[in-house]
Amino acid sequence: AAAIVVIAVAHERALVAEREAHRREREAHRRALDELAAQMRAEQQVAIVQMARGFEVDFQTQIARHRDAEKAAMVDARKAATEVARLRVDLKDAHAQLVALSVRLSFAEKGARAQPEFDAVTRAERARTSAGWAHAACGMSELAK
Protein backbone atom coordinates (compact mmCIF):
# COMPACT_ATOMS: atom_id res chain seq x y z
CA ALA A 1 0.00 0.00 0.00
CA ALA A 2 2.88 2.33 0.72
CA ALA A 3 4.26 1.63 -2.72
CA ILE A 4 0.89 2.55 -4.28
CA VAL A 5 0.86 5.82 -2.34
CA VAL A 6 4.43 6.54 -3.45
CA ILE A 7 3.48 5.78 -7.08
CA ALA A 8 0.31 7.92 -6.76
CA VAL A 9 2.28 10.82 -5.28
CA ALA A 10 4.93 10.49 -7.98
CA HIS A 11 2.20 10.33 -10.66
CA GLU A 12 0.49 13.40 -9.14
CA ARG A 13 3.83 15.26 -9.13
CA ALA A 14 4.41 14.30 -12.76
CA LEU A 15 0.92 15.58 -13.69
CA VAL A 16 1.53 18.85 -11.83
CA ALA A 17 4.93 19.23 -13.56
CA GLU A 18 3.32 18.47 -16.94
CA ARG A 19 0.54 21.02 -16.30
CA GLU A 20 3.15 23.60 -15.26
CA ALA A 21 5.17 22.92 -18.45
CA HIS A 22 1.97 23.32 -20.56
CA ARG A 23 1.16 26.55 -18.71
CA ARG A 24 4.68 27.90 -19.39
CA GLU A 25 4.35 26.92 -23.08
CA ARG A 26 0.96 28.66 -23.33
CA GLU A 27 2.39 31.73 -21.59
CA ALA A 28 5.40 31.78 -23.94
CA HIS A 29 3.08 31.31 -26.94
CA ARG A 30 0.81 34.15 -25.70
CA ARG A 31 3.84 36.45 -25.27
CA ALA A 32 5.01 35.61 -28.79
CA LEU A 33 1.53 36.37 -30.16
CA ASP A 34 1.41 39.66 -28.21
CA GLU A 35 4.82 40.64 -29.62
CA LEU A 36 3.71 39.72 -33.13
CA ALA A 37 0.50 41.74 -32.73
CA ALA A 38 2.48 44.75 -31.41
CA GLN A 39 4.91 44.46 -34.33
CA MET A 40 2.01 44.30 -36.81
CA ARG A 41 0.36 47.35 -35.24
CA ALA A 42 3.65 49.28 -35.46
CA GLU A 43 4.07 48.28 -39.11
CA GLN A 44 0.48 49.33 -39.83
CA GLN A 45 1.05 52.69 -38.18
CA VAL A 46 4.22 53.23 -40.23
CA ALA A 47 2.34 52.31 -43.41
CA ILE A 48 -0.52 54.68 -42.49
CA VAL A 49 1.93 57.53 -41.80
CA GLN A 50 3.73 56.89 -45.11
CA MET A 51 0.43 56.83 -46.97
CA ALA A 52 -0.67 60.07 -45.30
CA ARG A 53 2.64 61.70 -46.24
CA GLY A 54 2.15 60.54 -49.82
CA PHE A 55 -1.34 62.05 -49.86
CA GLU A 56 0.03 65.31 -48.44
CA VAL A 57 2.76 65.46 -51.12
CA ASP A 58 0.18 64.76 -53.85
CA PHE A 59 -2.11 67.44 -52.44
CA GLN A 60 0.69 70.01 -52.23
CA THR A 61 1.73 69.14 -55.80
CA GLN A 62 -1.83 69.69 -57.02
CA ILE A 63 -2.02 73.01 -55.16
CA ALA A 64 1.27 74.10 -56.76
CA ARG A 65 0.00 73.08 -60.23
CA HIS A 66 -3.22 75.03 -59.72
CA ARG A 67 -1.31 78.05 -58.42
CA ASP A 68 1.02 77.94 -61.43
CA ALA A 69 -1.96 77.65 -63.79
CA GLU A 70 -3.63 80.63 -62.11
CA LYS A 71 -0.44 82.69 -62.42
CA ALA A 72 -0.12 81.77 -66.10
CA ALA A 73 -3.77 82.68 -66.68
CA MET A 74 -3.24 86.03 -64.95
CA VAL A 75 -0.17 86.72 -67.09
CA ASP A 76 -2.16 85.86 -70.22
CA ALA A 77 -5.05 88.05 -69.07
CA ARG A 78 -2.69 90.96 -68.40
CA LYS A 79 -1.11 90.53 -71.83
CA ALA A 80 -4.53 90.47 -73.46
CA ALA A 81 -5.68 93.51 -71.49
CA THR A 82 -2.51 95.38 -72.44
CA GLU A 83 -3.08 94.52 -76.08
CA VAL A 84 -6.70 95.69 -75.85
CA ALA A 85 -5.56 98.95 -74.25
CA ARG A 86 -2.96 99.40 -76.99
CA LEU A 87 -5.59 98.77 -79.66
CA ARG A 88 -7.91 101.28 -77.99
CA VAL A 89 -5.14 103.87 -78.06
CA ASP A 90 -4.48 103.09 -81.73
CA LEU A 91 -8.19 103.41 -82.45
CA LYS A 92 -8.40 106.74 -80.61
CA ASP A 93 -5.33 107.95 -82.51
CA ALA A 94 -6.83 106.88 -85.84
CA HIS A 95 -10.09 108.58 -84.90
CA ALA A 96 -8.24 111.77 -84.00
CA GLN A 97 -6.39 111.66 -87.31
CA LEU A 98 -9.68 111.13 -89.14
CA VAL A 99 -11.25 114.09 -87.35
CA ALA A 100 -8.21 116.24 -88.11
CA LEU A 101 -8.37 115.28 -91.78
CA SER A 102 -12.07 116.01 -91.82
CA VAL A 103 -11.48 119.41 -90.22
CA ARG A 104 -8.68 120.17 -92.68
CA LEU A 105 -10.90 119.19 -95.58
CA SER A 106 -13.69 121.36 -94.24
CA PHE A 107 -11.38 124.34 -93.77
CA ALA A 108 -9.70 123.75 -97.11
CA GLU A 109 -13.11 124.07 -98.70
CA LYS A 110 -13.68 127.36 -96.84
CA GLY A 111 -10.32 128.72 -97.90
CA ALA A 112 -7.78 130.88 -96.13
CA ARG A 113 -10.40 132.96 -94.33
CA ALA A 114 -10.92 130.14 -91.82
CA GLN A 115 -7.25 129.66 -90.83
CA PRO A 116 -7.57 130.98 -87.20
CA GLU A 117 -10.59 128.74 -86.60
CA PHE A 118 -8.69 125.78 -88.13
CA ASP A 119 -5.75 126.37 -85.80
CA ALA A 120 -8.05 126.47 -82.74
CA VAL A 121 -9.80 123.22 -83.72
CA THR A 122 -6.47 121.53 -84.47
CA ARG A 123 -5.08 122.55 -81.04
CA ALA A 124 -8.23 121.26 -79.32
CA GLU A 125 -8.01 117.96 -81.21
CA ARG A 126 -4.32 117.59 -80.31
CA ALA A 127 -5.16 118.23 -76.65
CA ARG A 128 -7.86 115.53 -76.74
CA THR A 129 -5.45 113.10 -78.41
CA SER A 130 -2.79 113.83 -75.77
CA ALA A 131 -5.36 113.31 -73.01
CA GLY A 132 -6.35 110.01 -74.64
CA TRP A 133 -2.73 108.87 -74.72
CA ALA A 134 -2.25 109.83 -71.08
CA HIS A 135 -5.41 107.97 -70.09
CA ALA A 136 -4.30 104.88 -72.05
CA ALA A 137 -0.82 104.98 -70.52
CA CYS A 138 -2.38 105.17 -67.06
CA GLY A 139 -4.59 102.20 -67.89
CA MET A 140 -1.61 100.21 -69.17
CA SER A 141 0.37 100.89 -66.01
CA GLU A 142 -2.62 99.74 -63.93
CA LEU A 143 -2.84 96.54 -65.98
CA ALA A 144 0.86 95.89 -65.53
CA LYS A 145 0.33 95.86 -61.78
Side-chain angles (χ1 to χ4, degrees):
I4 293 178
V5 173
V6 170
I7 292 175
V9 170
H11 184 65
E12 182 64 28
R13 284 186 185 157
L15 287 175
V16 168
E18 189 177 332
R19 271 189 248 139
E20 184 61 27
H22 283 293
R23 187 190 62 75
R24 280 190 225 127
E25 280 181 34
R26 282 193 314 267
E27 187 64 30
H29 184 65
R30 187 185 56 75
R31 277 194 301 265
L33 287 176
D34 288 347
E35 287 175 15
L36 183 59
Q39 182 182 357
M40 289 177 67
R41 279 193 299 272
E43 288 172 359
Q44 284 176 339
Q45 287 175 347
V46 167
I48 289 169
V49 167
Q50 288 174 342
M51 199 170 22
R53 285 182 182 155
F55 289 150
E56 178 67 19
V57 167
D58 290 346
F59 182 68
Q60 293 299 330
T61 302
Q62 287 178 355
I63 288 174
R65 272 192 233 130
H66 287 295
R67 191 177 311 126
D68 292 345
E70 286 175 355
K71 285 179 183 178
M74 287 299 294
V75 166
D76 292 345
R78 284 186 184 124
K79 285 179 183 177
T82 301
E83 181 65 16
V84 166
R86 188 189 64 75
L87 291 173
R88 288 177 75 190
V89 167
D90 290 348
L91 183 62
K92 284 182 180 183
D93 188 39
H95 180 263
Q97 289 175 5
L98 182 62
V99 168
L101 287 175
S102 175
V103 168
R104 282 184 186 164
L105 180 61
S106 170
F107 284 115
E109 290 172 354
K110 292 179 182 179
R113 61 182 164 70
Q115 186 63 37
E117 187 182 343
F118 173 74
D119 290 341
V121 170
T122 304
R123 278 193 302 273
E125 202 53 44
R126 283 186 188 149
R128 279 199 333 201
T129 302
S130 295
W133 277 103
H135 177 71
C138 203
M140 288 176 143
S141 67
E142 283 297 316
L143 287 173
K145 291 179 185 177

